[in-house]
Amino acid sequence: MSTIVSIIIIAAVIIVLIFAWYKEKPSPSRPEFSETDFPLIFNDKSILVEGPNYNEIREVCIEFCEKYNVKQYNVIVKLIRLNPTSTLLIFPMK
């Protein structure tokens, strides 16, 4: 009787470990970004941000892109520093 109980316990532990392993597998991530994968297309959609410094704007844009670019690149923002407190954001079309 103890042999059957031991086999059931071992089988249960193996099943729990298999489920835990599959649950921890990372989901497929988006491909590596390369500017050459996205051709330059004329786009008149841009935003001039004055006030915050370039690094603050950059961090906000990174957070925004990470939120919307989960499995593929849906949003791309090109940043151009005009001066320490002015940044131009350009949204190239896909």
Side-chain angles (χ1 to χ4, degrees), residues 59-82:
E59 291 300 318
V60 170
C61 288
I62 288 172
E63 289 176 19
F64 178 76
C65 289
E66 285 178 351
K67 181 178 181 179
Y68 288 98
N69 297 334
V70 177
K71 295 191 181 197
Q72 64 181 14
Y73 291 100
N74 296 314
V75 178
I76 299 172
V77 180
K78 184 171 187 173
L79 300 171
I80 300 174
R81 183 186 327 207
L82 301 175

Side-chain angles (χ1 to χ4, degrees), residues 31-39 73 76:
E32 273 305 306
F33 180 79
S34 173
E35 287 190 25
T36 57
D37 293 340
F38 301 94
Y73 291 100
I76 299 172

